[in-house]
Amino acid sequence: MGFFFALNTRRMNYWLVKSEPHKYAWDQLLKDKSTFWDGVRNYQARNNLQEMKKGDQVLYYHSNEGKEVVGLAKIIKESYQDPTTEDTRWVVVDIAPVKTLKNPVSLEKIKATPELANIALVRQGRLSVMPLKAEEFDKILELGEE
DNA sequence: GCCAACGTTGGC
DNA sequence: GCCAACGTTGGC
């Protein structure tokens, strides 16, 4: 049984999402306890949202101001129609905070870390929802807890 | 505030 | 279906 549990655990997916702090900051998510992740109007980001499964872990990045990974969140509801638009092309997911990183991990630090130099956050600056490999996810968390 | 990167739109 | 024009994101 433990063997199968380990396999399932390994299938969990890891993500990084961006938010401009003046639009919706990490602190706001802590206050709200959960939110629906709306505003995605890019197909690649949308496709990533649709791949998210309940329980997947999500790193929360502040773009523009801060430019750092500030917290860890999780998916509590899988993708459904974006309630802020009639347009059926767009979806949202529900996320909830898990913990605040002891030390935010800056973009600068990420760029300077060889294991992280190729993540989409660096390579594809405009993408707002991106997958991470387990190793990359672990590395960022590790940097955040130092 | 500038501009590079890149996605989308629309004319042909 | 190509590609120029345009809009948006986000780092600097």
Side-chain angles (χ1 to χ4, degrees):
Chain A
M1 270 310 188
F3 173 71
F4 293 107
F5 177 72
L7 269 185
N8 283 333
T9 303
R10 238 29 214 164
R11 277 204 194 101
M12 178 177 289
N13 292 312
Y14 302 94
W15 309 93
L16 185 147
V17 298
K18 288 181 184 173
S19 181
E20 296 188 40
H22 77 260
K23 192 184 160 210
Y24 194 89
W26 175 248
D27 283 348
Q28 189 62 45
L29 181 58
L30 290 176
K31 275 181 211 148
D32 293 347
K33 307 279 198 276
S34 72
T35 191
F36 56 87
W37 197 257
D38 70 320
V40 167
R41 295 292 181 271
N42 167 284
Y43 291 112
Q44 202 180 346
R46 190 276 313 266
N47 293 344
N48 288 333
L49 284 183
Q50 288 175 329
E51 289 295 311
M52 289 177 169
K53 299 291 178 213
K54 194 172 174 181
D56 281 0
Q57 307 211 66
V58 181
L59 290 169
Y60 198 102
Y61 175 83
H62 277 167
S63 61
N64 278 316
E65 299 164 54
K67 282 172 285 180
E68 56 196 11
V69 178
V70 290
L72 174 64
K74 66 180 176 186
I75 302 299
I76 55 171
K77 188 175 179 189
E78 295 174 15
S79 66
Y80 57 97
Q81 167 68 34
D82 185 336
T84 66
T85 176
E86 296 291 301
D87 194 329
T88 55
R89 290 176 299 171
W90 308 119
V91 300
V92 298
V93 295
D94 287 355
I95 67 170
V98 175
K99 67 171 174 180
T100 303
L101 295 188
K102 223 174 283 174
N103 297 300
V105 183
S106 67
L107 180 61
E108 193 183 16
K109 185 70 176 283
I110 288 169
K111 283 182 172 171
T113 304
E115 301 96 305
L116 301 173
N118 286 320
I119 66 174
L121 184 67
V122 177
R123 285 202 341 272
Q124 201 178 341
R126 292 180 50 197
L127 189 61
S128 59
V129 180
M130 66 196 77
L132 290 177
K133 291 180 188 146
E135 310 89 84
E136 296 164 344
F137 173 86
D138 289 345
K139 187 68 192 174
I140 294 173
L141 264 193
E142 183 191 318
L143 293 172
E145 294 301 310
E146 270 176 4

